Amino acid sequence: MANTQITAARQGIVTPAMEAVAKKEGLSPEIVRQRVAKGTIAIPCNRLHTSISPTGVGEGLTTKINVNLGISRDCQSYELEQQKVNTAVALKADAIMDLSSYGKTREFRKWIVETCPAMLGTVPIYDAVGFLEKDLRDITAEDFLRVVETHAKDGVDFMTIHAGINRKTAQRFKDNPRKTKIVSRGGSLLFTWMELTGQENPFYEYYDKVMDILGEYDVTISLGDACRPGCIADASDPSQLEELITLGELTKRAWDKEVQVMVEGPGHMPLNQISANMMLEKRLCHNAPFYVLGPLVTDIAPGYDHITSAIGGAIAAATGADFLCYVTPAEHLRLPDEDDMKEGIMAARIAAHAGDIAKGIPGASDWDDQMSDARQALDWDKQFELCIDPEKAKKYRASSSPALHDSCSMCGNMCAMRNMNRIMSGEDVTLLK
């Protein structure tokens, strides 16, 4: 029997997690409860995640950001990934997705649960081969469900599960060739497993059993988009839309089991398609919280994909996305290091905030108004205090000190702020001294 935030919300109970989210967002606990009951807000919060600070994703809330990290066969430093978790939390990431696929995966996962206040997400299929010590073709449906249950017992708050790529969706993909085929790692593994075994996707075939596991621990299902476009040419194609329809059906089935839901989305997508895709997801998936990777708006910028992602992410957030997965400059090239991670987090936070301003989240523009006041007053200390990245702002100013303390080295005595303040207060303005 499920014992989740939805269970409580439908019984009229405001849980401590709902209280915490309401306080963070400046909303009444009753509004949060109502939206959790409807499924338009999710609070991923496994009851075994002892160190978590509950965070909400969805209707009327600030746009959240996620940071991907984890141990791989080629980059096995457990300690480096621990440091990246700590840095991500310090930089105000809302969620950590542990995508570890090699080595001490369970030890790392448990350490995050014990120490990290951010939401923790995983993709169980990434862990399956190493955890089970079986090759892909030898893994059974029961094996896949056992990995899901292990992650739930370990305290994971949300799991990406690619239940929408069933045999029907796979056939749609085969009938409509793509430039970049299936680029989702989890989606490609499940497609390959189905091709090797001739069986249905176990996460789709045994979806009710998956819901029973997640409901027991209050794990939110993040319905993975196996057919997300991997290049702008594949955006909004039949495979993506076929899967999205299935994800909408699976959303309702999860809610019927009182399991919280998020739905994942694109991917690579031209600017002019983003808004329509956000609205389509909300329509087909019944206003469930939408979690997007990017979208990346062009394919030509390896090394700068935190920028291509932030451009798309801002538009997505402004038109309906609730949760942005960050992208780093290392995307498509290598595992990101700590510097890459910081660049990705800052780009995603800027995109999320820009989206919040556009969609009228109460209080979102207050921060900008305070910065504008500090700039007009030429109050550099206040500006640094308000910066999204104070360290970088201070470094830039210190690297080129101006002759006039109330200006900068770009404008000097032609500073518009400085001269307007003086002339409007009746002071003399001279440019030759």
Side-chain angles (χ1 to χ4, degrees), residues 56-70:
V57 180
E59 182 186 358
L61 307 184
T62 54
T63 305
K64 305 305 185 298
I65 71 158
N66 170 71
V67 169
N68 290 340
L69 43 77

Side-chain angles (χ1 to χ4, degrees), residues 158-339:
F158 66 97
M159 293 186 207
T160 294
I161 294 179
H162 300 84
I165 184 163
N166 55 18
R167 295 188 68 80
K168 182 181 178 184
T169 306
Q171 189 60 50
R172 183 77 68 187
F173 159 72
K174 293 180 193 178
D175 293 342
N176 296 271
R178 291 174 140 193
K179 279 187 178 293
T180 53
K181 301 183 173 64
I182 293 176
V183 300
S184 158
R185 194 189 333 175
S188 68
L189 289 171
L190 280 167
F191 178 85
T192 300
W193 185 87
M194 288 191 288
E195 292 292 297
L196 289 172
T197 65
Q199 297 180 47
E200 179 60 277
N201 176 353
F203 296 123
Y204 181 80
E205 185 174 4
Y206 302 105
Y207 189 70
D208 286 345
K209 290 185 178 180
V210 175
M211 294 303 98
D212 289 340
I213 294 168
L214 302 187
E216 182 178 353
Y217 298 90
D218 198 4
V219 178
T220 299
I221 186 167
S222 190
L223 286 165
D225 54 333
C227 294
R228 70 172 181 263
C231 64
I232 60 172
D234 292 339
S236 308
D237 77 338
S239 303
Q240 180 194 339
L241 299 180
E242 175 82 48
E243 183 180 32
L244 188 60
I245 292 169
T246 304
L247 296 183
E249 295 167 351
L250 294 174
T251 294
K252 292 188 76 173
R253 287 176 60 186
W255 285 342
D256 287 345
K257 286 276 199 173
E258 298 184 343
V259 171
Q260 298 188 93
V261 179
M262 299 187 293
V263 178
E264 297 186 16
H268 292 235
M269 183 163 285
L271 279 169
N272 60 313
Q273 295 183 27
I274 294 173
S275 177
N277 267 263
M278 299 305 108
M279 290 186 284
L280 188 62
E281 185 279 341
K282 289 291 184 178
R283 175 70 179 87
L284 293 177
C285 296
H286 320 290
N287 292 309
F290 198 22
Y291 174 23
V292 298
L293 176 67
L296 285 73
V297 296
T298 180
D299 302 326
I300 63 163
Y304 298 92
D305 276 327
H306 59 311
I307 298 173
T308 66
S309 171
I311 293 168
I315 296 170
T319 54
D322 304 289
F323 196 10
L324 305 182
C325 185
Y326 92 149
V327 172
T328 77
E331 185 79 6
H332 303 110
L333 301 171
R334 62 169 169 82
L335 189 76
D337 62 21
E338 199 168 340
D339 289 337

